[in-house]
């Protein structure tokens, strides 16, 4: 890029410095090196901004690191929640087990008392077998009871009609 030089010896542009400002060849070399350094830094900044692929890779690496950290955090939280649920379920299970045990003991005691009562008031010999058979077939017993009730009712109606009551 060429800069225009004005009458007073200064150049127009972003790095305007007097042309005649150097007091010898060594000073001029130093200014040239300084300008080259500044120009190199500027080119490097522009190249970094123009390197979309490199910036995308750097951003992807950052996001990957963040995702990995979040994954670790989520696994830790899930494990903690799992332990909490497991503890609560264990306590609920122990409570239910205890209640079921107490209910079982109570039912066992009542069944034992009921057995003793039925044995004390059990029907004699042959009737005991009939009672057991009736307990095994309650519909048949119900039908037989209904038939017996109808027979008794018919008998009472007949007696009334003939004037025996």
């Amino acid at each position: 890029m060429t800069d225009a030089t004005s009458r007073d010896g200064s150049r127009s542009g972003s790095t305007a410095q007097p042309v005649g400002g150097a007091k010898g060849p060594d000073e001029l070399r130093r200014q040239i090196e300084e300008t080259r350094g500044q120009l190199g830094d500027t080119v490097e900044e522009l190249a970094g901004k123009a390197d979309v692929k490199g910036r995308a890779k750097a951003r992807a690496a950052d996001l990957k690191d963040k995702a990995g950290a979040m994954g670790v955090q989520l696994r830790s939280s899930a494990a903690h929640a799992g332990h909490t649920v497991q503890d609560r379920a264990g306590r609920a299970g122990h409570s239910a087990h205890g209640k079921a045990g107490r209910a079982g003991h109570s039912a066992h005691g009542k069944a034992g008392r009921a057995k003793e009562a039925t044995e004390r008031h059990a029907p004699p010999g042959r009737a005991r077998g009939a009672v057991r058979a009736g307990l095994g077939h309650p519909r048949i017993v119900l039908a037989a009871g209904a038939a017996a009730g109808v027979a008794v009712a018919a008998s009472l109606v007949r007696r009334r009609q003939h004037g025996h009551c």
Side-chain angles (χ1 to χ4, degrees), residues 127-138 140-141:
R128 185 177 296 154
V131 170
R132 283 192 183 141
L135 289 175
H137 304 286
I140 294 173
V141 172

Side-chain angles (χ1 to χ4, degrees), residues 25-45:
D26 292 335
E27 179 70 19
L28 186 58
R29 284 188 194 103
R30 185 193 61 75
Q31 286 178 356
I32 291 172
E33 288 302 318
E34 185 178 320
T35 304
R36 279 185 185 158
Q38 290 172 352
L39 184 61
D41 292 342
T42 304
V43 168
E44 197 172 301
E45 284 179 33

Side-chain angles (χ1 to χ4, degrees), residues 8 13 24 34 39 41 51 61 71 74 80 93 98 103 109 111 121 130 135 142 155:
D8 63 351
E34 185 178 320
L39 184 61
D41 292 342
D51 185 16
L74 286 174
H80 179 68
H121 303 293
L135 289 175
L142 180 64
S155 145

Side-chain angles (χ1 to χ4, degrees), residues 42-114:
T42 304
V43 168
E44 197 172 301
E45 284 179 33
L46 289 173
K49 288 181 182 180
D51 185 16
V52 176
K53 187 175 180 181
R55 288 183 14 215
K57 283 184 179 180
R59 178 77 173 138
D62 287 344
L63 291 175
K64 184 178 177 183
D65 290 344
K66 285 181 184 179
M70 276 193 135
V72 168
Q73 184 180 5
L74 286 174
R75 281 191 295 274
S76 174
S77 296
H80 179 68
H83 290 303
T84 302
V85 168
Q86 191 175 18
D87 289 344
R88 288 183 182 172
R91 279 188 246 136
H94 288 302
S95 176
H97 181 66
K99 287 178 182 178
R102 287 190 294 275
H105 289 300
S106 175
H108 182 68
K110 288 179 182 178
R113 288 191 296 277

